[in-house]
Amino acid sequence: MNLALNFASLLLCIAMLDGIVALIPIVGEYYPSEQEALFRLRDSIGSPNLYSNWTGPPCMNNQTRWGGIACSEGHVVHVVLDGLRLAGSLPPLLLNNLTLLTKLSMRSNSIVGPLPELTDLIHLEHIFLSRNVFTGSIPFHYIRLPNLKKIELQENYLQGEIPPFDQQSLVTFNVSYNSLQGPIPQTDVLQGFPESCFEHNSGLCGRPIKKQCPAPAPVPPAPSPSPTHGGKRSFRARDLAFIIAASVLVPFLVILVFLWYYRRLHGKEETAMNAGLHKLSSQRAADPEKAAELEFFDKNIPAFDLDDLLRASAEVLGKGRISTTYKASLEAGVVVAVKRVKDMNGLSNKEFVQQMQLLGKLKHENLVQIISFYNSKDEKLIIYEFLHCANLFELLHENRGSGRIPLNWVTRLSIIKDVAMAMNYLHQHLPNHKVPHANLKSSNVLLHRQGQNHRTKVTDYGYHPLLSSRRSSEKLAISRSPEFCQGKKLTNKADVYCFGIILLEIITGRIPGDEGGEEREAGELSEWVRDVVNNDWSTDILDVEILGTREAHDDMLKLTNLALECTAAAPEERPKMSEVLRRIEEIEQRKSDND
Ligand SMILES: *[C@@H]1O[C@H](CO)[C@@H](O)[C@H](O)[C@H]1NC(C)=O
Ligand SMILES: *[C@@H]1O[C@H](CO)[C@@H](O)[C@H](O)[C@H]1NC(C)=O
């Protein structure tokens, strides 16, 4: 056994004969392999937030000086590191050295990468890894941890299917708020947990969440009662098959990618937009009477028809969670942005057309103008003015490092004022909308240069009434707001919350969670700012690119306070959009008075 002595007992024993020492059980023993594992843990995810007292031996008998550790008979039995802003990924197999571990808890950190391998930890009872950034699938061997009582994996980014957990000891199980898929295994244990343990995994189905699996539901592989060699061999065979398949597929994919790139370079790409629309044109040819046409709002805009759009060369500008946007260059020289929206096919023709007509009437210099739309049963297009632009997300967060053009304070202030103006306009002109914008985030704030200046325009507004189910609304930025997460009533204050998050991004230069992925970290950004500000206002939170503008620190503080009010957990405590605009204008006014 891997037994060693702590320093004190070593001194005590040094007078003794070396050979005997190892055989006598001595007070203060510890296990270097455990210490080694914890040091590596500290170095890979901890620094600099892990406890400074992680030095020396982790355990002295049943005692420890180490924060977050509990010991029993010289062994580490608990590792509890909740909410320490740990980041980085867990080295694979690392924890297997903690052979007597019963509790592993790292809730509410920012740990990335796959879940840890815990193959040999047969004493493990509690696994609490919720609220992190874990990806990949739930390791299959977790179902063979014989003493598992509680496992909490909710609020991560896990994918794949749920393994068939069937330990009778299991009393708590939560995998909600991930991206898991497939049927919930039909083991007695799993079927016994309530809906809230599985919810918010759009791909899951099964009885606990009252969502039928597409028949015939594949029967999950039964857990083999004890891991036999046979079991292992079949895994190997599967791995092998995978490797063979991959070695065949990879060159094939490389060729595909090359072809795609080649075609892209050489323009005239047949895009999904054209392809999808060709189907329409043939429908139209069959029945010209019935087919919908493009509808225009502004008669001054040079009109074009669906055929023109079909012939246009199209290029993908971006893929979002609810739509794909194309740049379409029509033969007449007109360029437009076409959004092909998903998830709206449950709508009636009337609902869609009414909403589009409402949105088409909106005109504001800080809103991207909708010029037309097209609606048929399986294809919905919204046509916007095209802007040569970058979005705020790219300008704030991309190309950090050398070669980047910094975004100065004055520009940031003017951008945020423009966004506030657009939002205030929406809130006044869509009074019957629960949440007028509903999808405000930095990637929907477009900036195009006009000489020295930026013009700011907000896009993707007014989609909330078009997305009937909660599941599709989850793809909107308002799903970041606390009231949405708690399933409470939504008001226009959800927009104010999203606005507050953009303010925080502008001030701190930090990303409030992963674009395209879940956005729950948005809340963490405001919590973090709140923490820093409560512990004495400090310039620590400011983006380095504006830190140098010392004379504006006061204004930055004012804006930070406004951002914190906007992101208050209770919607009624957030200011109205008109109030937000007024306060930003005040700050801007002061600035120009000082200039
Ligand atoms: C170790 O440090 C943490 C925080 O720094 C503290 O909470 C804990 O009490 C410390 N442990 C001991 C035994 O001093
Ligand atoms: C599972 O986790 C989610 C998200 O944290 C929570 O809302 C839900 O109440 C949990 N379910 C149970 C049964 O604890």
Side-chain angles (χ1 to χ4, degrees):
M1 176 162 284
N2 216 350
L3 182 83
L5 313 164
N6 77 18
F7 191 56
S9 26
L10 205 67
L11 284 180
L12 195 103
C13 303
I14 236 151
M16 300 183 175
L17 282 173
D18 270 17
I20 306 169
V21 170
L23 302 172
I24 309 170
I26 293 164
V27 181
E29 67 209 33
Y30 78 101
Y31 298 84
S33 60
E34 297 189 0
Q35 182 191 42
E36 164 76 7
L38 291 174
F39 279 159
R40 279 185 47 215
L41 184 70
R42 178 193 66 189
D43 297 339
S44 49
I45 59 165
S47 53
N49 289 327
L50 210 46
Y51 304 118
S52 53
N53 47 26
W54 275 37
T55 54
C59 292
M60 291 182 255
N61 253 337
N62 293 339
Q63 305 211 324
T64 179
R65 290 189 315 111
W66 289 34
I69 299 295
C71 300
S72 172
E73 296 176 358
H75 283 285
V76 175
V77 290
H78 292 176
V79 173
V80 180
L81 306 171
D82 295 344
L84 293 176
R85 296 204 198 114
L86 306 178
S89 61
L90 298 171
L93 295 171
L94 170 77
L95 296 163
N96 275 330
N97 284 341
L98 306 175
T99 45
L100 293 188
L101 196 66
T102 60
K103 180 170 184 178
L104 173 65
S105 185
M106 298 184 179
R107 287 186 269 228
S108 303
N109 286 294
S110 304
I111 304 173
V112 300
L115 290 170
E117 296 278 318
L118 305 169
T119 336
D120 302 328
L121 302 183
I122 53 167
H123 299 283
L124 206 52
E125 294 174 0
H126 300 157
I127 303 178
F128 299 139
L129 298 173
S130 51
R131 305 192 104 232
N132 276 287
V133 197
F134 285 111
T135 49
S137 54
I138 302 173
F140 200 83
H141 67 258
Y142 282 14
I143 68 169
R144 304 212 182 92
L145 294 169
N147 293 303
L148 194 60
K149 292 192 176 124
K150 300 186 176 181
I151 178 162
E152 293 182 1
L153 302 175
Q154 66 267 33
E155 301 187 54
N156 279 295
Y157 295 80
L158 300 172
Q159 291 175 327
E161 299 197 359
I162 301 177
F165 284 86
D166 205 14
Q167 293 97 317
Q168 295 306 313
S169 50
L170 205 58
V171 292
T172 299
F173 179 89
N174 201 335
V175 294
S176 60
Y177 295 86
N178 278 292
S179 304
L180 295 166
Q181 285 168 334
I184 296 168
Q186 290 177 355
T187 60
D188 289 346
V189 170
L190 285 184
Q191 296 284 324
F193 290 112
E195 183 172 4
S196 73
C197 303
F198 300 99
E199 66 188 356
H200 284 271
N201 285 284
S202 50
L204 276 186
C205 62
R207 209 182 46 78
I209 51 171
K210 303 183 189 73
K211 191 169 138 203
Q212 257 201 323
C213 296
V219 181
S224 45
S226 62
T228 59
H229 282 293
K232 273 200 183 136
R233 205 172 306 131
S234 76
F235 274 121
R236 296 239 178 82
R238 208 194 280 169
D239 291 347
L240 194 65
F242 178 76
I243 290 166
I244 292 172
S247 59
V248 174
L249 274 177
V250 166
F252 180 65
L253 283 177
V254 168
I255 292 170
L256 268 187
V257 167
F258 174 78
L259 277 180
W260 173 78
Y261 193 59
Y262 182 83
R263 294 183 74 172
R264 208 181 131 93
L265 273 184
H266 291 75
K268 291 292 170 203
E269 177 196 7
E270 165 86 338
T271 61
M273 182 181 88
N274 300 71
L277 289 177
H278 278 316
K279 207 171 71 204
L280 297 175
S281 70
S282 52
Q283 277 165 18
R284 231 153 54 95
D287 190 357
E289 288 286 291
K290 263 209 184 136
E293 264 301 342
L294 292 177
E295 302 206 19
F296 284 86
F297 297 113
D298 188 341
K299 303 298 170 220
N300 297 324
I301 289 176
F304 47 88
D305 63 18
L306 196 56
D307 290 324
D308 293 332
L309 204 57
L310 286 172
R311 283 197 302 271
S313 69
E315 166 190 332
V316 179
L317 287 177
K319 271 197 166 78
R321 306 182 80 196
I322 48 175
S323 65
T324 304
T325 309
Y326 304 86
K327 171 185 175 182
S329 314
L330 300 158
E331 278 168 359
V334 180
V335 182
V336 291
V338 181
K339 246 182 223 295
R340 192 169 181 221
V341 289
K342 303 177 257 201
D343 280 341
M344 292 183 188
N345 290 342
L347 282 180
S348 74
N349 184 43
K350 193 167 148 233
E351 285 168 305
F352 184 76
V353 171
Q354 272 180 354
Q355 180 65 7
M356 280 301 119
Q357 279 168 346
L358 193 62
L359 297 182
K361 287 205 192 86
L362 300 174
K363 284 197 172 42
H364 189 274
E365 59 171 354
N366 300 118
L367 286 179
V368 180
Q369 183 69 45
I370 297 182
I371 53 181
S372 175
F373 67 93
Y374 172 83
N375 176 50
S376 75
K377 202 165 120 278
D378 15 58
E379 197 64 59
K380 294 193 174 17
L381 307 175
I382 308 177
I383 299 157
Y384 290 87
E385 63 175 317
F386 174 78
L387 304 169
H388 283 281
C389 59
N391 68 50
L392 181 60
F393 182 89
E394 292 162 354
L395 286 177
L396 278 175
H397 307 302
E398 288 182 3
N399 292 325
R400 285 265 165 178
S402 61
R404 178 181 150 83
I405 306 165
L407 202 56
N408 65 30
W409 171 244
V410 176
T411 312
R412 289 182 196 216
L413 195 58
S414 87
I415 291 171
I416 204 68
K417 192 186 110 193
D418 285 349
V419 178
M421 301 235 281
M423 294 302 289
N424 187 43
Y425 174 88
L426 283 176
H427 280 203
Q428 281 170 2
H429 286 78
L430 296 174
N432 297 327
H433 277 52
K434 266 196 275 185
V435 216
H437 191 299
N439 202 16
L440 182 64
K441 52 183 175 179
S442 53
S443 54
N444 282 337
V445 173
L446 308 183
L447 293 115
H448 63 137
R449 249 178 212 283
Q450 284 188 330
Q452 285 296 348
N453 299 321
H454 279 103
R455 268 289 281 290
T456 308
K457 292 194 183 220
V458 173
T459 189
D460 260 24
Y461 46 88
Y463 289 169
H464 190 239
L466 298 174
L467 299 167
S468 43
S469 73
R470 181 176 162 93
R471 188 135 62 86
S472 21
S473 312
E474 255 166 39
K475 297 179 181 167
L476 297 174
I478 45 165
S479 64
R480 298 167 165 189
S481 68
E483 57 268 36
F484 187 96
C485 301
Q486 293 156 12
K488 292 197 185 135
K489 198 173 120 247
L490 293 176
T491 64
N492 60 18
K493 294 294 180 65
D495 269 348
V496 176
Y497 183 89
C498 296
F499 183 84
I501 295 295
I502 295 195
L503 267 179
L504 289 174
E505 267 182 88
I506 288 244
I507 296 162
T508 64
R510 295 202 171 204
I511 302 180
D514 164 37
E515 272 289 289
E518 314 287 309
E519 270 104 5
R520 65 180 141 271
E521 283 174 61
E524 279 165 25
L525 178 62
S526 66
E527 262 166 46
W528 171 71
V529 174
R530 207 159 267 141
D531 272 0
V532 178
V533 176
N534 286 345
N535 291 327
D536 265 346
W537 153 248
S538 99
T539 50
D540 288 355
I541 60 157
L542 297 179
D543 188 348
V544 287
E545 288 181 3
I546 54 171
L547 195 56
T549 317
R550 283 178 192 283
E551 63 284 6
H553 280 185
D554 253 10
D555 293 342
M556 295 174 196
L557 169 61
K558 284 216 171 81
L559 213 54
T560 308
N561 280 332
L562 181 59
L564 292 179
E565 284 174 44
C566 290
T567 54
E572 59 280 5
E573 282 169 22
R574 298 174 206 151
K576 284 203 169 101
M577 214 52 236
S578 52
E579 164 76 7
V580 172
L581 175 61
R582 193 186 59 70
R583 284 169 60 184
I584 293 176
E585 281 173 339
E586 244 174 50
I587 295 174
E588 209 190 29
Q589 191 55 40
R590 256 171 39 92
K591 184 191 120 311
S592 32
D593 290 350
N594 290 345
D595 284 350

